[in-house]
Amino acid sequence: MFAEIQIQDKDRMGTAGKVIKCKAAVLWEQKQPFSIEEIEVAPPKTKEVHIKILATGICRTDDHVIKGTMVSKFPVIVGHEATGIVESIGEGVTTVKPGDKVIPLFLPQCRECNACRNPDGNLCIRSDITGRGVLADGTTRFTCKGKPVHHFMNTSTFTEYTVVDESSVAKIDDAAPPEKVCLIGCGFSTGYGAAVKTGKVKPGSTCVVFGLGGVGLSVIMGCKSAGASRIIGIDLNKDKFEKAMAVGATECISPKDSTKPISEVLSEMTGNNVGYTFEVIGHLETMIDALASCHMNYGTSVVVGVPPSAKMLTYDPMLLFTGRTWKGCVFGGLKSRDDVPKLVTEFLAKKFDLDQLITHVLPFKKISEGFELLNSGQSIRTVLTF
């Protein structure tokens, strides 16, 4: 660790305040492959932080940009789940310093807006979920072949160096392994927080998780941590059942195994006692299935998967009239700058095991292979290292 920081110190002596040329995976347009390019990264402006990326995870949300199911401007550098080291800081930055190990945050925490100041809020006004593709001052720090390249969700981590606003970075323990805790920047926190913070799962309850990818497995880990006595995993791919059981599911089923609606199957399995359901896929029909599957009077259903853009949902309002609670969450309802360092500390204390979520570790140049693993269902989380 000391040697790593020494190297970073040496790097900073030559690069702080200067334009840095480095490698990045650029998406020039929708439905096109990544192009590894040399880009120029401008130094940080006021209240901005320049980060050298050490490791970054491949998340389904990044793939949504490629496929066009998530709004973005092009060209763009995606990636939003990472660990890095602060290379330099702009004027006025007070919460991190050069050499700090950090996690960039796709969900900022300005600590000033209504959402940040409310104890139950976390969707900071500075969040870029509409695809603006620029930093707070309205401009980009990336250039490639003379053209400006857009940022993605305040982070852009598929690059050796990135620049983020100070509100989008959390200082973490120097002892944290980058290739593991990068998952706390998105996938793990989103699922774990959905159970413990948004769903507020109670001890002894019955939970059902629709979708057993990396985020779904993290929901299971959260339900287990909260003391749920029964955790049922649901997925069409039975190859995922073994991993789900390993992280805490008590049983797993596939909707294909019955002609009955999944809500009826679950009611029969549990004696009509499902307290919490989590939709971690992002399919409209599954969201309604999950809502119908929790108890009609006191059940809570949480939407965790990113819904497709420009799609409307039609459902029977009687599902809510009888007493169900339907909730959504971004980043598991967690306050990013406050909660990410705490989760890293809990990981180092072995409160949960991120190793079970990481199936592949590849060098950054093999990013396309990493996305192939994601789309073929062979990986839970692939981490790219620099």
Side-chain angles (χ1 to χ4, degrees):
M1 179 56 60
F2 179 69
E4 179 184 77
I5 292 174
Q6 274 193 321
I7 291 170
Q8 298 304 322
D9 284 338
K10 184 178 178 181
D11 285 349
R12 285 195 309 278
M13 288 172 64
T15 57
K18 299 179 181 178
V19 172
I20 293 177
K21 291 185 178 182
C22 68
K23 296 295 184 183
V26 178
L27 283 175
W28 289 101
E29 53 186 293
Q30 189 178 301
K31 297 180 181 177
Q32 294 297 314
F34 286 102
S35 178
I36 302 294
E37 305 277 7
E38 182 178 81
I39 66 166
E40 294 82 42
V41 184
K45 296 184 180 180
T46 300
K47 289 285 189 179
E48 292 178 356
V49 180
H50 201 155
I51 302 171
K52 178 179 176 63
I53 301 296
L54 301 177
T56 182
I58 292 178
C59 176
R60 180 71 64 181
T61 303
D62 301 312
D63 193 55
H64 288 336
V65 177
I66 300 171
K67 291 184 167 60
T69 55
M70 187 170 183
V71 177
S72 177
K73 293 177 181 176
F74 292 87
V76 64
I77 296 171
V78 294
H80 62 283
E81 183 182 82
T83 312
I85 286 183
V86 175
E87 180 270 341
S88 61
I89 56 175
E91 185 180 346
V93 172
T94 59
T95 57
V96 295
K97 64 184 185 304
D100 283 348
K101 187 168 283 185
V102 294
I103 288 180
L105 307 168
F106 76 88
L107 184 69
Q109 186 184 351
C110 71
R111 296 180 171 145
E112 298 168 357
C113 70
N114 288 345
C116 284
R117 293 172 67 180
N118 189 299
D120 295 323
N122 78 329
L123 189 57
C124 178
I125 195 171
R126 295 190 183 182
S127 304
D128 185 13
I129 57 176
T130 58
R132 292 192 309 272
V134 290
L135 296 184
D137 75 338
T139 64
T140 174
R141 301 293 163 271
F142 301 131
T143 308
C144 184
K145 299 179 180 177
K147 297 180 179 179
V149 178
H150 292 93
H151 294 252
F152 176 65
M153 296 183 77
N154 304 294
T155 49
S156 291
T157 62
F158 290 163
T159 170
E160 292 176 313
Y161 288 87
T162 191
V163 177
V164 304
D165 294 305
E166 184 180 16
S167 58
S168 294
V169 63
K171 181 182 183 302
I172 62 170
D173 193 311
D174 279 341
E179 72 285 358
K180 296 181 182 181
V181 298
C182 61
L183 271 62
I184 293 174
C186 179
F188 174 76
S189 301
T190 296
Y192 191 83
V196 301
K197 182 74 179 283
T198 302
K200 294 181 171 62
V201 169
K202 295 178 181 177
S205 59
T206 295
C207 300
V208 179
V209 180
F210 289 76
L212 302 178
V215 179
L217 295 179
S218 300
V219 173
I220 291 173
M221 294 165 77
C223 292
K224 181 180 179 182
S225 176
S229 60
R230 194 171 183 184
I231 305 171
I232 303 170
I234 298 180
D235 204 293
L236 296 174
N237 183 357
K238 292 185 178 181
D239 291 341
K240 296 181 178 181
F241 290 179
E242 183 179 353
K243 181 67 76 170
M245 299 287 285
V247 300
T250 54
E251 58 219 285
C252 295
I253 59 174
S254 168
K256 290 181 178 179
D257 290 343
S258 175
T259 56
K260 295 179 181 179
I262 192 66
S263 57
E264 289 185 22
V265 173
L266 290 166
S267 180
E268 291 173 4
M269 284 177 64
T270 64
N272 190 29
N273 191 33
V274 175
Y276 305 87
T277 61
F278 300 86
E279 201 280 353
V280 205
I281 304 168
H283 290 173
L284 301 185
E285 60 274 17
T286 322
M287 292 175 189
I288 298 173
D289 285 343
L291 178 63
S293 295
C294 68
H295 193 276
M296 65 183 295
N297 182 230
Y298 56 77
T300 295
S301 186
V302 182
V303 175
V304 188
V306 179
S309 59
K311 297 289 184 181
M312 299 299 289
L313 187 62
T314 302
Y315 70 98
D316 181 356
M318 190 60 72
L319 289 171
L320 294 179
F321 176 76
T322 55
R324 290 180 178 91
T325 299
W326 203 6
K327 307 175 78 172
C329 63
V330 176
F331 200 57
L334 301 171
K335 288 185 179 291
S336 55
R337 281 208 281 176
D338 291 345
D339 290 327
V340 161
K342 294 175 185 175
L343 286 173
V344 170
T345 300
E346 289 177 2
F347 166 74
L348 291 173
K350 303 190 185 311
K351 184 174 179 180
F352 49 82
D353 182 9
L354 295 174
D355 285 341
Q356 298 184 87
L357 302 176
I358 301 169
T359 50
H360 300 79
V361 179
L362 299 173
F364 175 62
K365 64 183 179 181
K366 293 190 176 181
I367 184 171
S368 295
E369 182 180 327
F371 275 84
E372 289 169 9
L373 290 167
L374 173 74
N375 290 315
S376 65
Q378 296 178 62
S379 69
I380 295 172
R381 245 327 175 260
T382 295
V383 174
L384 305 173
T385 56
F386 292 81

